[in-house]
Amino acid sequence: MTLEQRIETSKTSIFKAVFPNTTNHYDTLFGGTAMHMMDEVAFITATRFSRQIMVTVSSDRIDFKKSIPAGTIVELIGQVTKVGNTSLKVNVEIYIEQMYAEGRELAVHGDFTFVAIDENKKPVQVIK
């Protein structure tokens, strides 16, 4: 499988509903909850790409472009954007969709770096 095919097949998309128990006093999704969901999608993407033990080592930047209101649907999309020897980078975007209207908007995007490790927690090659 080529690198491009591996990147494409590891692309991950997850939908979630934004319920009141995940929102703050402004009735929008907690930023920490958004980051948690993004790291989870990034982890799944990295693992699907490498099929090895992957750990998050950094989140380079997370930009909150638009607040995410309660009662909306969000789609989180993770895609590998860079592959190194023992690490890779995953970009995650969160899109907002109203439940009863067409269209969607980019709300948040960020980059996460993962390292492949062995059973002794030592870095190993991302691609065997």
Side-chain angles (χ1 to χ4, degrees), residues 99-127:
M99 286 197 187
Y100 310 110
E102 295 294 326
R104 56 193 265 145
E105 298 177 82
L106 178 64
V108 185
H109 63 89
D111 293 307
F112 295 79
T113 302
F114 288 81
V115 169
I117 60 171
D118 64 16
E119 61 279 350
N120 298 312
K121 298 185 170 84
K122 301 292 184 207
V124 296
Q125 288 190 337
V126 170
I127 300 174

Side-chain angles (χ1 to χ4, degrees), residues 35-62:
M35 292 189 300
H36 170 90
M37 293 183 334
M38 292 174 79
D39 187 38
E40 182 179 350
V41 169
F43 165 77
I44 293 167
T45 304
T47 302
R48 291 179 73 210
F49 178 87
S50 69
R51 297 297 177 181
Q52 297 186 80
I53 301 168
M54 301 297 289
V55 293
T56 307
V57 293
S58 72
S59 57
D60 301 341
R61 180 179 178 136
I62 298 175

